[in-house]
Amino acid sequence: MKTNSLLYRIAKLLLLGICSVGLIFPLAQDLKAGGPAPQKALETFLGIIRSMEFPVKDPSAHERLVREADAFLDLEAMGKTALKEHWEKATPEEREAFMSLLWKLIKQVAYPNSHQFLGSYKIIYPEVRQVGDAFEVRSVVKHSEEALDAKVVYHLYQQNGQWRVDDIILDGISITEDMGYQFNKIISESSFSGLLKRMQEKLDQAQQEPDSKKA
């Protein structure tokens, strides 16, 4: 797999829950409503992504939504888990550059590409299960025309009152494991600096694309 396919996959995984959310609810009010709190937090997170506009018409409003969505995503934990021993071997400067690029790719690639998958998905949440101090929100995504029947599991935990997603599993395949496979392959072939170069190239490519292609 290539680095760009990873961000495409993340975008699709994020979207698989978006279509079930019709409105964005204020977080405090939403979590007091009926239903498990982790599921409500997930729906709020996905609803924020769904409300983004591409092409971006109001940069200030868009940045606010990006910050709100980012607060739900523990990308640092996902990145560390994916890199495994490579994170420990990396210099502080390399770690900082890696996380900065990963966040920028989420903003420039994953969030916009989510809109490419909008469609008539039927999504149900059959189970919310506690696993230690965290929760698994299980969902099933169905689309008859595309013969889609995907099982998606979101792993969430709560930190200082904020629910955060630190892994997403599609049909048994974890995002962190997927990232780990791709990152390890690139690092093995060209070193950690090679990974940073590949990520920067993908970011440059995304930034050069016209906004119409990000819709």
Side-chain angles (χ1 to χ4, degrees), residues 24 48 51-52 60-70:
I24 301 175
I48 292 169
S51 70
M52 295 178 183
S60 178
H62 179 71
E63 287 301 320
R64 176 180 58 79
L65 290 172
V66 167
R67 288 194 299 270
E68 291 177 2
D70 287 351

Side-chain angles (χ1 to χ4, degrees), residues 82-132:
L83 286 173
K84 297 181 180 178
E85 69 273 10
H86 298 301
W87 177 266
E88 298 301 326
K89 295 177 181 178
T91 66
E93 292 76 17
E94 287 175 329
R95 295 177 183 177
E96 182 178 357
F98 169 79
M99 288 310 308
S100 176
L101 286 168
L102 194 56
W103 275 115
K104 289 176 181 177
L105 284 167
I106 290 294
K107 176 182 177 181
Q108 295 289 335
V109 181
Y111 288 161
N113 280 354
S114 294
H115 289 257
Q116 294 182 8
F117 300 97
L118 286 173
S120 302
Y121 292 100
K122 179 181 179 181
I123 303 175
I124 59 175
Y125 292 92
E127 182 183 12
V128 176
R129 184 172 66 177
Q130 185 167 0
V131 181

Side-chain angles (χ1 to χ4, degrees), residues 5-213:
S5 66
L6 168 64
L7 273 300
Y8 184 85
R9 180 181 180 81
I10 292 176
K12 189 168 185 178
L13 285 170
L14 289 174
L15 180 82
L16 289 177
I18 291 173
C19 300
S20 66
V21 185
L23 298 171
I24 301 175
F25 303 95
L27 180 59
Q29 177 181 347
D30 192 36
L31 297 186
K32 292 178 181 178
Q39 178 182 325
K40 292 296 182 181
L42 176 63
E43 291 175 349
T44 301
F45 166 54
L46 296 172
I48 292 169
I49 299 173
R50 185 178 187 271
S51 70
M52 295 178 183
E53 289 186 328
F54 298 99
V56 176
K57 298 178 181 179
D58 185 338
S60 178
H62 179 71
E63 287 301 320
R64 176 180 58 79
L65 290 172
V66 167
R67 288 194 299 270
E68 291 177 2
D70 287 351
F72 283 92
L73 191 60
D74 192 349
L75 199 61
E76 182 170 349
M78 297 169 71
K80 287 181 179 180
T81 301
L83 286 173
K84 297 181 180 178
E85 69 273 10
H86 298 301
W87 177 266
E88 298 301 326
K89 295 177 181 178
T91 66
E93 292 76 17
E94 287 175 329
R95 295 177 183 177
E96 182 178 357
F98 169 79
M99 288 310 308
S100 176
L101 286 168
L102 194 56
W103 275 115
K104 289 176 181 177
L105 284 167
I106 290 294
K107 176 182 177 181
Q108 295 289 335
V109 181
Y111 288 161
N113 280 354
S114 294
H115 289 257
Q116 294 182 8
F117 300 97
L118 286 173
S120 302
Y121 292 100
K122 179 181 179 181
I123 303 175
I124 59 175
Y125 292 92
E127 182 183 12
V128 176
R129 184 172 66 177
Q130 185 167 0
V131 181
D133 295 331
F135 289 83
E136 290 182 349
V137 179
R138 298 174 178 267
S139 67
V140 179
V141 184
K142 297 179 179 290
H143 194 297
S144 57
E145 293 182 3
E146 297 181 8
L148 176 66
D149 190 358
K151 296 180 180 179
V152 185
V153 179
Y154 299 87
H155 189 271
L156 298 90
Y157 71 96
Q158 195 171 33
Q159 183 180 55
N160 299 324
Q162 171 71 53
W163 287 97
R164 309 192 74 190
V165 177
D166 62 0
D167 203 4
I168 305 172
I169 303 168
L170 173 61
D171 286 336
I173 300 177
S174 160
I175 272 188
T176 55
E177 292 178 0
D178 199 8
M179 286 195 297
Y181 170 80
Q182 296 179 61
F183 291 162
N184 183 66
K185 186 174 186 296
I186 295 171
I187 293 172
S188 298
E189 294 175 350
S190 58
S191 76
F192 199 94
S193 61
L195 172 62
L196 297 179
K197 181 180 178 182
R198 290 279 292 275
M199 295 172 73
Q200 184 64 57
E201 289 172 351
K202 177 58 185 174
L203 179 60
D204 292 342
Q205 178 185 344
Q207 291 175 334
Q208 291 171 6
E209 289 181 353
D211 286 344
S212 59
K213 291 187 177 181

